[in-house]
Amino acid sequence: MTGVRRIDLVTARRMAIEAQRLSGPMRRSSPAALLEVMRQIRCVQLDPISVVARSPLLVLRSRLAGFRPAHLDRLLYGDRSLFEYWAHAASIVLTEDYPIHRYRMRTWPGTRPWADRTREWLRTNDKLRRSILSDLRRRGPLRIRDLTDHAVESWVSSGWTRDRNVDQMVRFLWVMGKVMVADRNGLEKWWNLSERVLPPDVRGGRALSAVEVTRRAAQRSLRGLGVATAAQIKGHFTVDRYPELPRVLAELERTGTIERVEVVRDGAVLPGPWFVHVEDLPLLERIERGSWRPRTTLLSPFDNLIHDRRRSLTLFDLDYRMEIYVPKAKRRFGYYAMPLLHGDRFVARVDPAVDREGGRLVVNAVHPEDGARPDRGLGPVVADAINELAAWAGASSVEVSGRPC
């Protein structure tokens, strides 16, 4: 194909970073600023691990100056501008994206191998389903421990969900959009009927067709990535829920909504095709003119920028793997190694933990990335990022117990 715009790898990296609100001056944290960030990145993954802080808080503090968790709570449990649902994992998502997420609600569990087993378990345990909905209707919001197990057949699993029938039924009802998290106390969720959590005007309205869902979701995914291949679009935001994606991308390209580009590294064109949204072309051109403002920050292991490990390797040469489930003796970088983004490159991995009783941030290890030499220039960059994280986490001191740069 002739006339395809070519961009170099550095431009693609900077597009990705800018799309994730990880470059330039940060806006001061407020509910409005947080909502603006969410409208750009579309979702924030939830995870219960809290070595430094819960992952969604770490993601947002990398994007908002002086980020305050209370601002997130207000949007989730007060204004209801956000809610908890499944994006690329259990996540915080935008209420305005409910029509997109509703597609999963109405089509789940789909046609995967375990779907028939799930349907059969739901049918067998209909009494449990009805009792949960009845209890929430009469007494909600409620916690899992407030609900009674009326299962006829226990859930069988080799994992932690085995025999946790109430948990599993509530989770299934959540995916189907029948119940939602109405509030939280720490990690404990308070559940209620969805009709009591989201406003009626949000939950009503016409259901989108599969193609309409993909048309919306693909554009949101691409804009959150900056520049991306079809596979990367499919692996972001509402992962694998892009019915008829090739057809939709062809239509969006034909109508001028997205533009095809080639990404070049050292003179070689990377496998593609790659796409950029037409609304991001001014950003691309600004970056190519050299108008780009770098930032330095430590990222959550669950950060959107590095969620797609193959893309991270392609764009950033970052071969990242979480080592939470790796035996301690076999870990290379640490239990909760946080990648350090410095400008448009990853320069180190820092393995920190907050000692809440002692009021300190303990740094277990610092590992420079390949190509980032542990010299005098890197040391201050790492130190500043660690000190900034410690200050945000409320630690009054930093203790380096492992190998520094």
Side-chain angles (χ1 to χ4, degrees):
M1 180 181 293
T2 61
V4 176
R5 185 192 301 251
R6 282 194 168 190
I7 64 175
D8 62 32
L9 184 62
V10 171
T11 298
R13 282 178 183 152
R14 293 180 176 182
M15 285 282 292
I17 293 166
E18 182 95 10
Q20 280 296 310
R21 292 291 191 264
L22 288 168
S23 60
M26 290 191 287
R27 288 186 63 183
R28 193 74 190 168
S29 183
S30 69
L34 196 161
L35 188 58
E36 189 275 333
V37 167
M38 286 295 301
R39 282 177 170 148
Q40 176 61 35
I41 66 175
R42 307 318 294 190
C43 61
V44 176
Q45 183 173 340
L46 291 161
D47 191 85
I49 297 170
S50 187
V51 177
V52 178
R54 289 189 296 116
S55 181
L57 307 185
L58 292 173
V59 169
L60 294 169
R61 52 80 46 188
S62 293
R63 292 160 170 83
L64 291 163
F67 167 66
R68 292 173 53 193
H71 295 157
L72 178 61
D73 288 345
R74 173 176 161 179
L75 294 179
L76 272 167
Y77 311 123
D79 299 349
R80 302 296 186 189
S81 301
L82 306 172
F83 68 100
E84 296 186 25
Y85 195 62
W86 195 270
H88 60 262
S91 302
I92 297 167
V93 299
L94 285 152
T95 301
E96 62 197 50
D97 283 340
Y98 179 85
I100 293 173
H101 299 296
R102 187 179 178 186
Y103 176 77
R104 179 180 176 88
M105 295 174 185
R106 72 174 191 264
T107 60
W108 185 89
T111 59
R112 295 186 179 184
W114 48 263
D116 287 342
R117 176 201 169 202
T118 300
R119 288 191 188 92
E120 179 60 23
W121 188 83
L122 287 167
R123 185 193 65 77
T124 302
N125 292 293
D126 192 58
K127 180 180 178 181
L128 173 59
R129 180 191 66 83
R130 287 185 286 106
S131 73
I132 289 172
L133 294 176
S134 176
D135 284 346
L136 290 175
R137 187 169 292 109
R138 290 184 296 107
R139 302 188 290 123
L142 300 171
R143 300 158 296 184
I144 292 290
R145 57 193 169 105
D146 298 324
L147 299 165
T148 304
D149 187 352
H150 292 291
V152 174
E153 178 184 302
S154 285
W155 179 258
V156 177
S157 168
S158 59
W160 67 272
T161 60
R162 183 181 182 89
D163 296 328
R164 300 184 65 153
N165 302 315
V166 173
D167 297 60
Q168 198 70 343
M169 183 61 79
V170 168
R171 187 172 74 86
F172 289 164
L173 290 170
W174 171 65
V175 178
M176 290 187 287
K178 305 299 183 183
V179 302
M180 288 184 175
V181 177
D183 203 351
R184 278 181 180 259
N185 183 7
L187 293 177
E188 190 169 48
K189 304 170 187 175
W190 289 80
W191 295 91
N192 210 337
L193 300 176
S194 296
E195 62 205 53
R196 295 178 181 169
V197 176
L198 294 185
D201 60 317
V202 171
R203 298 183 67 254
R206 181 181 63 87
L208 301 178
S209 70
V211 170
E212 288 175 316
V213 167
T214 301
R215 191 177 293 118
R216 291 192 189 189
Q219 292 184 71
R220 284 159 171 74
S221 179
L222 178 56
R223 298 212 65 193
L225 292 167
V227 58
T229 65
Q232 291 167 4
I233 291 170
K234 184 179 178 182
H236 189 68
F237 185 33
T238 54
V239 172
D240 290 334
R241 299 197 300 282
Y242 294 90
E244 301 192 57
L245 180 61
R247 169 189 163 187
V248 169
L249 291 178
E251 172 198 296
L252 292 173
E253 186 179 9
R254 186 173 60 254
T255 59
T257 305
I258 65 175
E259 182 175 304
R260 186 176 300 226
V261 297
E262 292 179 341
V263 178
V264 180
R265 176 174 186 163
D266 299 328
V269 177
L270 297 181
W274 297 70
F275 299 96
V276 63
H277 199 281
V278 66
E279 293 185 26
D280 289 326
L281 289 177
L283 167 64
L284 187 156
E285 292 162 359
R286 174 167 62 78
I287 289 173
E288 288 185 323
R289 292 194 302 269
S291 178
W292 189 77
R293 294 167 294 179
R295 192 192 305 163
T296 301
T297 187
L298 284 161
L299 299 184
S300 161
F302 300 96
D303 197 279
N304 294 20
L305 184 67
I306 58 172
H307 161 73
D308 185 335
R309 306 307 196 208
R310 289 185 180 181
R311 174 178 161 90
S312 298
L313 187 59
T314 298
L315 287 185
F316 298 103
D317 295 318
L318 179 70
D319 188 4
Y320 187 79
R321 177 192 180 195
M322 287 197 68
E323 297 182 325
I324 290 172
Y325 303 109
V326 176
K328 186 175 182 179
K330 295 184 178 181
R331 291 176 192 150
R332 292 182 58 203
F333 301 106
Y335 179 83
Y336 202 74
M338 299 177 67
L340 177 57
L341 179 66
H342 180 53
D344 58 18
R345 298 302 302 267
F346 287 96
V347 297
R349 301 182 203 195
V350 178
D351 182 31
V354 170
D355 172 11
R356 291 176 175 84
E357 290 187 4
R360 57 185 182 151
L361 182 76
V362 178
V363 178
N364 299 305
V366 178
H367 297 273
E369 292 292 337
D370 293 341
R373 294 190 302 170
D375 55 20
R376 292 181 180 178
L378 181 58
V381 168
V382 175
D384 287 348
I386 290 171
N387 287 331
E388 190 277 331
L389 178 65
W392 175 81
S396 57
S397 64
V398 175
E399 177 183 312
V400 180
S401 65
R403 181 167 67 90
C405 281

